[in-house]
Amino acid sequence: MRRPAIVSSAVGFARGLAPLALLVACLAGACKQSVPPETGPAPAAASAPAASVAPAAPPETGSLAGGPDDAGQAPAVPGVDVATGRRGAVTTAEPNATAVGRAILEKGGNAVDAAVAIGLALGVTHPTAGGIGGGGFMVIYFPDGRSTAIDFREVAPRKASRDMYLDESGNPTKDSLYGPRAAGVAGNVAGFAMVHKKYGSLPWKELVQPAVALAKDGHEIDSVHAEDLTAGVKLMEDYRKEVEAANKNPAKAAILAALDQTMAIMRRPDGRPWRAGDRWAQPDLAATYQAIAERGAPAFYRGPLAKKLASEVRKMGGLWTEADLAAYRPIERKPIVFDYRGHQVITMPPPSAGGVSLRQIFAASEALELYQMPWDSVDRIHLYVEVLRRVYADRNQLIGDPAFVKMPLKTLLDSAYMKRRVSDVNRQQATPSAKVSAGVEVEEKPETTHFSVVDEKGMVVANTYTLNGGFGALVAVPGTGILLNNQMDDFTAKVGAPNMFGLVQGPQNAIAPGKRMVSSMTPTIVTKAGKLRAVCGSPGGATIITTVAQVLLQVIDYGKPIDRAIVQTRIHHQWLPDAVIYEEGLDPKIAKGLEARGHKLMSRGRIGHANCIESDPKTGELRAVADSARRGGDADAF
Ligand code: DON
């Protein structure tokens, strides 16, 4: 069993469309609309006008006024969950977590408090991505205009080594994908504790308690998570068969026992498939969270739980040690901040490649004046793909953990560099990726979930975190309820060999003890004149960067309300494989037009899951949107 290449998640993206439903509940300035998904392409122009067409862009800053949805009535955009309000807004991948975030804001917590409580709650209710056995990134914007970035990415254990995922013939094994050897040392609990201590306002216990209750008393699952859990158990069953069939694995018995315990947690007690409305409790995880509520992050990284994590992982052949856990530190970093057409974009620096690549995409779009062209035109999409091809060639070969590799960041972030980088783009013909390499010479010597929160004072949090593949390494540490991540697969296991997202990366992202693996996670905040304009992010592996770019470019360049931007069909290119990866719903005329220019096309069910919030530039009203047709989720505002 090999995880399919270039899938955003082991489960979930090819979901059936939700039944036709329209729910509108507007209560004293807080509107909530749950609407069915769009099934076809957006009705926008499919023609292919020349690059010199008159500017199609409506006013540079989008206003939410003007459409039927703007008045809080029937929404014009199907396929998203929208909520509007003035005092606070939250959007996450799961309704119970959204409710936790709203409750924290309503009781006076700030956006960081709400984000921490959401992050911990998702660890209970969204196990495919949100577990505390993973890591991630948070970008924060403060009402006074400051911003910061928190890196709580996993690190390679001290016993990790460059070739640890290669067999005797030098070929990559599956060990970076499944089982305890795939796990980097987890960062979530440390990251949340750090932001809480520095920027939170409510007591820590109050932020952990909702997650304890969700795990202990159980919670109702929705249809998306019913499917997720059922699909997750299937993955675990398949993995179990593989472990069972392996003859040489000395840790076989321990892994099998752990897998049986993991499946016992994830299965419906009667063994049948989960259904929406079922209740799911996780007593072991509740006890783990209780310890974290009482002792804070040290409960995870030192003492009895850390001992247990290290010894159980080791029994299963994994590399974690108590010393690895004790040494784990989240890092506060300076975010990447850049201007784009009158807006300020605040995003994540390395070891995530997300912010660098986003900056490059925006700079190249500006250089090529893509904003002059209709969004849904072959001309624009062709050029956009040419930009992505070059940006990902840089991403895959130049970005690494800043503590380990030197990166030409100044150049990569310079708009003049991007202008040069796209100067060879042929407006009519695709450039084969084989002819594109990194734009700077390389020195010898690169399942997730996103949530966004805005509070009453204007503090904003963008948080993306992950176990990597759906349900991470597919195995929980016995007795703790903690699913291990398989983030080690984000490293370059072998130069030139694709990882689970099809990314072909270079030696700068090779495995080394204590090193952080390159990420595509792109939690991003956009401001205008010091005020929030939008906050956004997504899962989707390599497609995260392009998902975030597409949503934000539509908001900034085309003045589209963010819900419209989110439902648009997405396009992705990552240099290698040399193919335009497109979402179902792409207009066949556009597909043909791209093929005529020499692009190979590769279809994908769904790309990303963007849970974003915007602030109406005119009225300041908050509009929270969950990308619900793609993968459920829940937006709320009040
Ligand atoms: O950090 C990264 O780029 C990946 N580990 C993200 C994984 C992901 O988005 C999977 N989910 N869809």
Side-chain angles (χ1 to χ4, degrees):
M1 182 178 85
R2 172 109 195 147
R3 284 187 200 265
I6 345 168
V7 290
S8 303
S9 156
V11 289
F13 277 102
R15 278 175 203 296
L17 302 177
L20 194 76
L22 177 65
L23 272 174
V24 181
C26 291
L27 296 167
C31 296
K32 178 136 184 82
Q33 306 158 347
S34 172
V35 290
E38 195 170 50
T39 50
S47 60
S52 58
V53 287
E60 178 207 25
T61 52
S63 165
L64 303 186
D69 45 340
D70 310 317
Q73 293 160 11
V77 181
V80 288
D81 180 43
V82 180
T84 57
R86 296 192 161 273
R87 291 182 45 217
V90 177
T91 173
T92 84
E94 200 278 330
N96 289 289
T98 296
V100 165
R102 175 176 175 149
I104 295 288
L105 290 180
E106 283 192 307
K107 76 194 258 195
N110 64 21
V112 164
D113 293 320
V116 168
I118 290 169
L120 292 166
L122 284 170
V124 178
T125 63
H126 190 57
T128 178
I132 53 175
F137 303 107
M138 182 183 284
V139 174
I140 308 173
Y141 183 73
F142 302 96
D144 63 3
R146 285 173 307 131
S147 56
T148 192
I150 313 295
D151 165 358
F152 49 100
R153 183 72 159 163
E154 296 89 337
V155 302
R158 288 166 183 209
K159 288 191 193 143
S161 56
R162 195 191 61 184
D163 296 334
M164 64 182 279
Y165 297 121
L166 300 183
D167 63 17
E168 300 86 6
S169 326
N171 296 318
T173 64
K174 294 176 189 167
D175 279 10
S176 68
L177 293 169
Y178 312 110
R181 274 171 63 78
V185 181
N188 282 343
V189 176
F192 291 142
M194 179 199 227
V195 283
H196 167 258
K197 191 165 174 205
K198 286 195 85 164
Y199 304 116
S201 65
L202 295 181
W204 170 254
K205 248 187 169 167
E206 284 183 37
L207 308 182
V208 191
Q209 217 49 56
V212 174
L214 288 164
K216 193 169 166 192
D217 308 335
H219 66 277
E220 212 172 274
I221 59 174
D222 65 5
S223 58
V224 167
H225 291 83
E227 267 186 54
D228 263 1
L229 283 173
T230 304
V233 170
K234 173 80 180 60
L235 288 173
M236 290 164 197
E237 285 168 351
D238 290 348
Y239 173 49
R240 193 186 193 289
K241 283 183 202 146
E242 286 215 349
V243 176
E244 214 164 17
N247 292 327
K248 287 195 208 144
N249 189 348
K252 183 166 159 174
I255 299 177
L256 289 178
L259 270 171
D260 289 341
Q261 275 196 34
T262 311
M263 288 189 283
I265 296 169
M266 302 288 160
R267 272 198 192 112
R268 199 170 189 255
D270 65 0
R272 298 188 151 174
W274 288 98
R275 285 196 309 241
D278 285 345
R279 272 190 97 72
W280 181 39
Q282 300 163 79
D284 282 349
L285 191 60
T288 297
Y289 269 93
Q290 188 61 48
I292 293 168
E294 270 149 32
R295 289 188 46 229
F300 190 95
Y301 296 94
R302 288 192 185 86
L305 178 58
K307 234 184 191 30
K308 187 177 212 159
L309 289 171
S311 73
E312 292 290 346
V313 168
R314 208 168 35 248
K315 251 193 249 167
M316 293 187 279
L319 302 185
W320 288 17
T321 60
E322 282 177 65
D324 282 322
L325 286 161
Y328 185 86
R329 297 283 179 277
I331 300 174
E332 183 158 22
R333 299 186 185 274
K334 219 169 128 205
I336 289 178
V337 181
F338 63 91
D339 289 331
Y340 176 71
R341 306 195 69 227
H343 295 73
Q344 189 183 52
V345 180
I346 304 156
T347 185
M348 197 67 214
S352 180
V356 176
S357 300
L358 192 74
R359 195 303 178 257
Q360 291 189 283
I361 294 170
F362 279 37
S365 301
E366 199 167 12
L368 293 169
E369 299 191 346
L370 296 195
Y371 53 86
Q372 301 269 26
M373 303 171 195
W375 181 260
D376 266 330
S377 63
V378 175
D379 278 340
R380 190 200 66 83
I381 298 172
H382 163 69
L383 292 177
Y384 176 66
V385 165
E386 290 305 304
V387 167
L388 299 183
R389 189 192 303 286
R390 288 156 178 80
V391 167
Y392 275 78
D394 286 358
R395 179 219 177 276
N396 295 355
Q397 294 173 90
L398 300 173
I399 308 295
D401 180 341
F404 285 75
V405 292
K406 259 176 78 186
M407 286 172 276
L409 276 190
K410 212 164 153 236
T411 305
L412 295 178
L413 295 171
D414 180 1
S415 48
Y417 163 74
M418 274 325 282
K419 207 169 174 177
R420 287 197 306 278
R421 187 93 173 93
V422 292
S423 60
D424 65 340
V425 166
N426 180 328
R427 286 185 181 255
Q428 297 304 325
Q429 195 59 38
T431 320
S433 286
K435 293 200 172 147
V436 176
S437 54
V440 179
E441 217 160 285
V442 191
E443 272 181 46
E444 268 313 312
K445 54 119 221 104
E447 177 93 42
T448 306
T449 189
H450 175 84
F451 56 87
S452 303
V453 187
V454 182
D455 71 17
E456 195 166 10
K457 296 208 170 94
M459 187 189 259
V460 186
V461 173
N463 188 97
T464 315
Y465 74 160
T466 188
L467 296 174
N468 196 23
F471 299 91
L474 300 181
V475 62
V477 179
T480 69
I482 299 173
L483 269 170
L484 291 169
N485 67 79
N486 63 341
Q487 215 72 249
M488 294 294 283
D489 191 63
D490 276 352
F491 277 120
T492 309
K494 178 183 179 178
V495 173
N499 73 359
M500 73 179 283
F501 300 108
L503 287 167
V504 178
Q505 307 184 92
Q508 89 294 348
N509 190 27
I511 304 170
K515 190 174 175 186
R516 292 170 192 229
M517 52 300 273
V518 172
S519 170
S520 299
M521 292 191 274
T522 316
T524 299
I525 297 168
V526 179
T527 64
K528 179 151 195 198
K531 293 246 159 51
L532 173 71
R533 180 69 186 87
V535 46
C536 197
S538 175
T543 67
I544 293 173
I545 303 164
T546 49
T547 296
V548 174
Q550 282 165 97
V551 171
L552 294 178
L553 286 172
Q554 289 176 83
V555 170
I556 296 172
D557 288 341
Y558 295 79
K560 280 195 195 167
I562 204 159
D563 46 340
R564 285 169 204 256
I566 286 173
V567 293
Q568 277 285 326
T569 308
R570 294 180 187 141
I571 298 275
H572 173 73
H573 197 293
Q574 59 186 44
W575 178 50
L576 294 172
D578 188 350
V580 176
I581 294 158
Y582 68 95
E583 218 175 10
E584 63 188 26
L586 180 71
D587 188 329
K589 278 190 225 148
I590 290 183
K592 270 202 178 133
L594 291 171
E595 277 168 350
R597 291 182 193 202
H599 295 282
K600 280 186 242 79
L601 266 66
M602 196 188 261
S603 133
R604 163 90 70 83
R606 293 287 188 179
I607 293 177
H609 185 229
N611 291 316
C612 315
I613 301 169
E614 74 172 339
S615 165
D616 185 317
K618 289 210 175 101
T619 67
E621 184 177 62
L622 297 169
R623 168 175 284 223
V625 185
D627 197 352
S628 47
R630 288 193 175 85
R631 238 199 133 191
D634 186 33
D636 202 357
F638 59 102

